[in-house]
Amino acid sequence: MNQPESLSLACRSGAAMMLLRLLPLVLLALFVGSCTKNEFRIEGKIDGGAQRGLKAMYVAYSSNTDELVSQELAFENGAFQLHGATRYPTIVWLFSSDRRLLYAVYAEKGDKLEIKGDFNHPYLWQVKGNKPMEQYSDWVRRNEALLPSMVGGYSGPGGSPGMSMSFREPDESGRGRGTAEELNAAVAGYVKEHTGDVCSALLLLTFYDRTADEAGFNRLWGSLTLDKEDKERLLHVAMTVTSESREKASGLPMVPITLRTPADTLSTLNPARARATVVYFWKESGGSELREALRAMSRLPQDIAVADIYLDPDSSQWHSALRGDTTSRRRSFWAFAGPMDVSLQRLSLPGAPYVIVADRKGSQLYRGTDMKKAAAAARAAR
């Protein structure tokens, strides 16, 4: 073998050894690169956030799995950073430290989002970083007068599949800030003109009062021309976080509830004063279910307390239903702020009609819509 050929073989051999040494580094770089491509970042400067506390919850998607991520956000010099990762689009739900929903943020891999605002006025927050969120935050600011009062925030969903924030709390005058019909009409108006926008899906999932118009929600959701899989994932995100919220709520004891009575006075329903307490939550649209619930309540033993709580802002239907009621021992209440009334927030009601049964310690024995199961749970209480 001549010298040039020998030198050539030595060079090739050396190059091969170098490649072998570099292979782990190359693979690591590819792995890190793939992770980096799935990352998103949210940077926020929220006045008052450090004192009140913020928590984020979202579904992180990988190639074939999804995971619910929950994270406390640490503040430094009045600002926070959230570093997340997801292969497919997701919604990051921002809560106060006591689990009250403040805002929903749409995020895709590669996004860098910025949030600025005051903790006490989330509807005025400015969000930048991707087109859907800029459209969403702009719509929220423009329609702020229709939206629920942020006093106390939100503790749970208003109806499946999403985490609806559509139940109105009273403003300083004691009135709600907008009816379900007004809010739904505002959302529908945007969706009909923007069927291909992700913002339309976000508005339906967060502000459309599905309990007031189930058929309307279904029509609008079906009209969206977004990618079918993306729509399904967004529904999955909303349902996952909703389920988490309801699971936590079901473990909380029912505490005394103070609400307005037909005599226009305040009264308290205390589960400690009976063997069991059955509470039926209803709205104007649930008249037939109400009559069936009243009959079931009337057949319960006398040591079981029974009550109904009306959730609509207009009390006229409530008074009308009471005039034909023969269940004299049943106590009736009106929560004009709906499920977001301060006395009901911890129950995280998913909508109406709905029934909760609690024992004398406040432990929830049943949550659901089946009055037969509710009655059985109450009878079994000791």
Side-chain angles (χ1 to χ4, degrees):
M1 181 180 295
N2 56 39
Q3 187 173 355
E5 185 177 353
S6 175
L7 182 60
S8 176
L9 287 172
C11 289
R12 287 198 295 269
S13 177
M17 291 298 295
M18 181 65 72
L19 286 174
L20 287 174
R21 292 192 185 100
L22 291 175
L23 183 59
L25 295 177
V26 172
L27 293 175
L28 178 61
L30 290 172
F31 174 76
V32 171
S34 64
C35 293
T36 303
K37 287 191 298 183
N38 288 339
E39 287 184 354
F40 66 88
R41 183 166 58 181
I42 300 176
E43 297 179 353
K45 189 170 180 61
I46 307 298
D47 296 337
Q51 293 76 27
R52 305 286 292 277
L54 277 181
K55 181 178 181 179
M57 190 178 294
Y58 69 97
V59 173
Y61 287 104
S62 61
S63 57
N64 54 8
T65 61
D66 57 81
E67 176 186 3
L68 182 63
V69 177
S70 181
Q71 179 180 341
E72 300 285 345
L73 300 179
F75 279 80
E76 184 175 347
N77 298 323
F80 73 86
Q81 289 191 2
L82 168 64
H83 294 267
T86 183
R87 182 172 181 177
Y88 303 110
T90 190
I91 301 174
V92 180
W93 307 89
L94 296 178
F95 295 85
S96 62
S97 58
D98 54 354
R99 297 190 298 106
R100 294 174 181 175
L101 180 60
L102 299 177
Y103 216 80
V105 181
Y106 173 83
E108 297 184 17
K109 59 183 180 181
D111 279 349
K112 180 180 178 181
L113 296 125
E114 297 180 2
I115 304 176
K116 293 182 180 179
D118 189 305
F119 185 93
N120 293 318
H121 303 284
Y123 291 149
L124 302 181
W125 287 2
Q126 291 187 327
V127 185
K128 298 180 179 180
N130 64 37
K131 183 178 178 181
M133 279 314 301
E134 291 172 4
Q135 293 173 325
Y136 180 84
S137 63
D138 178 66
W139 187 94
V140 170
R141 289 195 302 273
R142 285 189 289 106
N143 291 275
E144 189 268 344
L146 273 181
L147 305 182
S149 167
M150 283 308 299
V151 177
Y154 300 91
S155 64
S160 80
M163 182 170 284
S164 169
M165 300 187 288
S166 57
F167 290 104
R168 283 139 301 286
E169 289 203 354
D171 59 19
E172 293 178 356
S173 69
R175 296 175 58 85
R177 302 185 68 193
T179 65
E181 290 73 18
E182 291 170 336
L183 184 54
N184 286 354
V187 173
Y190 183 93
V191 173
K192 290 175 181 177
E193 295 182 2
H194 303 85
T195 56
D197 287 0
V198 171
C199 178
S200 294
L202 297 178
L203 292 175
L204 284 170
L205 291 174
T206 56
F207 285 112
Y208 197 90
D209 192 337
R210 190 172 177 181
T211 63
D213 188 5
E214 174 82 13
F217 176 92
N218 291 334
R219 283 195 303 271
L220 291 168
W221 188 258
S223 72
L224 298 180
T225 58
L226 301 172
D227 178 81
K228 181 180 179 181
E229 292 187 355
D230 284 345
K231 287 172 63 176
E232 290 177 351
R233 291 190 189 99
L234 290 177
L235 279 174
H236 173 67
V237 169
M239 291 176 68
T240 300
V241 177
T242 294
S243 298
E244 177 78 2
S245 175
R246 291 177 186 168
E247 183 178 343
K248 290 181 179 179
S250 65
L252 296 175
M254 178 186 288
V255 298
I257 297 172
T258 301
L259 292 169
R260 196 161 295 279
T261 71
D264 201 26
T265 61
L266 292 176
S267 185
T268 300
L269 177 66
N270 189 344
R273 296 176 181 170
R275 173 161 66 99
T277 299
V278 180
V279 187
Y280 182 78
F281 302 89
W282 63 289
K283 301 183 74 174
E284 182 177 357
S285 58
S288 59
E289 291 90 347
L290 173 66
R291 289 189 292 273
E292 293 178 8
L294 295 182
R295 285 195 292 269
M297 287 179 174
S298 66
R299 294 192 290 266
L300 290 171
Q302 292 294 316
D303 60 348
I304 295 177
V306 292
D308 78 272
I309 298 179
Y310 183 65
L311 301 176
D312 269 336
D314 182 358
S315 64
S316 58
Q317 178 66 22
W318 178 53
H319 286 292
S320 176
L322 293 179
R323 284 195 292 270
D325 176 30
T326 58
T327 313
S328 58
R329 73 185 182 93
R330 190 185 93 259
R331 300 178 66 187
S332 191
F333 299 88
W334 175 36
F336 57 79
M340 291 302 101
D341 188 280
V342 66
S343 291
L344 304 181
Q345 286 181 8
R346 68 187 280 117
L347 296 177
S348 193
L349 297 173
Y354 201 71
V355 190
I356 293 180
V357 179
D359 63 15
R360 66 177 68 253
K361 295 181 180 179
S363 300
Q364 296 187 44
L365 306 177
Y366 176 79
R367 290 172 61 94
T369 58
D370 190 323
M371 275 303 302
K372 290 183 178 180
K373 291 182 179 180
R379 293 175 186 275
R382 293 291 181 264

